[in-house]
Each structure stands twice: as structure tokens, then as C-alpha cells.
Amino acid sequence: MRAIELHRDAGAYALGVLEAADACRFEEHLTECSACVVQVRELGAVVAHLVAYAHRLPPGAVPRQGRRRR
């Protein structure tokens, strides 16, 4: 995995959707990249809000995609 790809993986890492090998490589990258540490921390807060929102929806409900003009 190239360094540029590692920077792009911050969102996937924060969401917990990276495969185990990629997550391990990204965690190694985090030891050397303070910018990615900050990004993961910030994205973690967004993920927490999304999880909280999803738990407030009734089972099977689909979130609205915004208002549509008629």
C-alpha cells in the first residue's frame, strides 16, 4: 500500500470497514502521521453521531435524503 492510499484510508478506518491487514498497516501509519491521527479523531466523532442517529430511527426506516423541491 502506498503512502497516499494510507492517507485516504482514514475514513474507512474510522468507520471500521478496513480489512484486518489494511487496518494493521493503517495503525502503523498512525504512529508516524499526526495529520491522520487528527483526521481519525474528528471522523470518530462523526461516526458516533451517525450511530446515535441510526439507533433513533424505527426498525426498517430509511433516513431522509434532504428536501426535494416541487
Side-chain angles (χ1 to χ4, degrees):
M1 189 177 295
R2 295 178 310 183
I4 190 75
E5 292 170 344
L6 286 170
H7 293 296
R8 291 180 186 160
D9 283 342
Y13 181 81
L15 288 169
V17 297
L18 287 179
E19 293 185 16
D22 290 332
C24 286
R25 279 192 283 271
F26 188 75
E27 287 169 357
E28 288 176 16
H29 172 72
L30 286 176
T31 64
E32 300 173 356
C33 184
S34 60
C36 282
V37 169
V38 169
Q39 190 173 15
V40 167
R41 205 174 284 148
E42 290 172 350
L43 290 169
V46 173
V47 170
H49 285 290
L50 291 172
V51 169
Y53 175 73
H55 286 168
R56 295 181 74 188
L57 294 174
V62 177
R64 293 186 332 185
Q65 298 271 331
R67 295 184 182 176
R68 291 186 179 156
R69 293 186 177 185
R70 294 178 192 221

